[in-house]
Amino acid sequence: MTTGPVTGAEDVPRDRALSDADTAELIDDVDALGGFFSLSTTLPDTPDLYSFARLYATPALVDARIETVRRRHEPAEARVAASIMFLGLAARLVSPALAAACRGALVELPATSLYRCGSQTGPERLHLAEARATVLDPSDPATAAAGLRRTVVEEHLRPLVAAVRGRVRVAERLLWGNAASAVGGAVWMLSRRWPRQADTAEAIADALIGSGPMAGLGTVEHPFPARPERFFARRSCCLFYRAPRGDMCGDCSLLDRAELAARWRAELAAS
């Protein structure tokens, strides 16, 4: 599958289902990006596999995931661990969905059919039991964002916010700021790995965070027009700086614009 809209996407209704073969090819292309984009359509045979629906409904699973993060950053406060945990899962949910949207497809991610392994840490591969996708027009960012709002924000991020806040006292605005940062991080990676999709990724992301619970919590930036890379500037804090060995993130709201630009230049130089 080429780095462009699904073949013929401009000629068909947006609700047309992709064939199984095209859906599999699309997911393989997204999965090949690695990291937060990793998505498999094969369920591993492991006893600690559970669906996201089960995660959202099971306090013990939420506690276990927060505790895993807390131990990694010990002695981090509970709310710091909860914030880091949320940001990691949000990035894993947002990234493959946005990548697929940039390629002209809306992948369905039912919480009952999307799985993770409880023992897995670090960048992990999510597993989708039923691979279904429909055609969308990536040149229509508002419609693409509306699709992502349904499949990611309402299906996953909203129940994840509720599940985390049900276990730890952490501000709702902080968590939605983390969600916006996850969108921005996905745009950054896509603009690097799929530079021809950089404009599309930015436009869809702007529409996605321009309204709803992420509105006003950050902006996608294109500070170096000669390069395709986009960055993100937050307007809320994730608290990572309060973790032992923590630091200010590359999109940190505590940094002024000059400091952010310096970090972005350094990141480009390092890459």
Side-chain angles (χ1 to χ4, degrees):
M1 185 173 284
T2 58
T3 51
V6 171
T7 303
E10 67 280 6
D11 301 320
V12 299
R14 283 192 292 267
D15 61 353
R16 194 186 100 176
L18 266 67
S19 69
D20 291 345
D22 280 348
T23 300
E25 185 180 359
L26 170 72
I27 291 177
D28 284 347
D29 283 352
V30 171
D31 181 59
L33 290 167
F36 294 123
F37 296 88
S38 297
L39 181 64
S40 165
T41 55
T42 302
L43 299 186
D45 184 12
T46 175
D48 63 342
L49 189 72
Y50 57 79
S51 71
F52 275 80
R54 185 180 167 204
L55 170 67
Y56 305 147
T58 309
L61 290 177
V62 178
D63 289 345
R65 185 61 189 147
I66 293 174
E67 177 60 18
T68 296
V69 174
R70 191 197 66 79
R71 286 199 304 268
R72 192 183 310 149
H73 296 280
E74 196 170 8
E77 305 166 57
R79 65 184 182 128
V80 174
S83 173
I84 297 170
M85 171 269 201
F86 179 94
L87 179 53
L89 284 183
R92 287 159 176 79
L93 292 162
V94 165
S95 297
L98 180 59
C102 289
R103 300 286 291 273
L106 181 68
V107 176
E108 297 294 330
L109 299 170
T112 54
S113 300
L114 188 65
Y115 290 78
R116 69 175 302 271
C117 296
S119 62
Q120 194 166 0
T121 59
E124 65 182 278
R125 204 178 193 195
L126 300 188
H127 308 278
L128 187 59
E130 299 177 67
R132 293 183 292 113
T134 54
V135 172
L136 57 75
D137 180 0
S139 68
D140 179 2
T143 299
L148 293 177
R149 199 166 286 116
R150 174 179 63 81
T151 60
V152 179
V153 177
E154 298 302 327
E155 183 73 15
H156 289 283
L157 298 183
R158 198 175 293 280
L160 182 58
V161 166
V164 170
R165 295 190 74 231
R167 308 308 298 162
V168 177
R169 293 187 62 183
V170 59
E172 183 174 2
R173 178 181 169 85
L174 181 152
L175 296 181
W176 284 116
N178 285 0
S181 178
V183 174
V187 174
W188 150 247
M189 287 304 302
L190 287 169
S191 67
R192 290 188 63 198
R193 298 292 301 277
W194 290 352
R196 285 188 292 168
Q197 302 298 323
D199 289 343
T200 300
E202 178 182 0
I204 296 174
D206 283 344
L208 181 59
I209 64 179
S211 63
M214 291 182 277
L217 294 175
T219 55
V220 176
E221 304 282 344
H222 189 197
F224 312 112
R227 298 190 59 118
E229 289 90 350
R230 268 62 168 179
F231 297 86
F232 192 71
R234 290 185 63 132
R235 291 181 182 150
S236 65
C237 181
C238 69
L239 302 178
F240 183 58
Y241 78 98
R242 295 179 64 88
R245 301 175 302 281
D247 193 4
M248 292 180 178
C249 304
D251 59 2
C252 186
S253 63
L254 301 178
L255 299 173
D256 63 29
R257 185 48 58 97
E259 292 171 315
L260 278 175
R263 287 189 174 223
W264 294 340
R265 288 192 190 92
E267 197 159 4
L268 289 178
S271 63

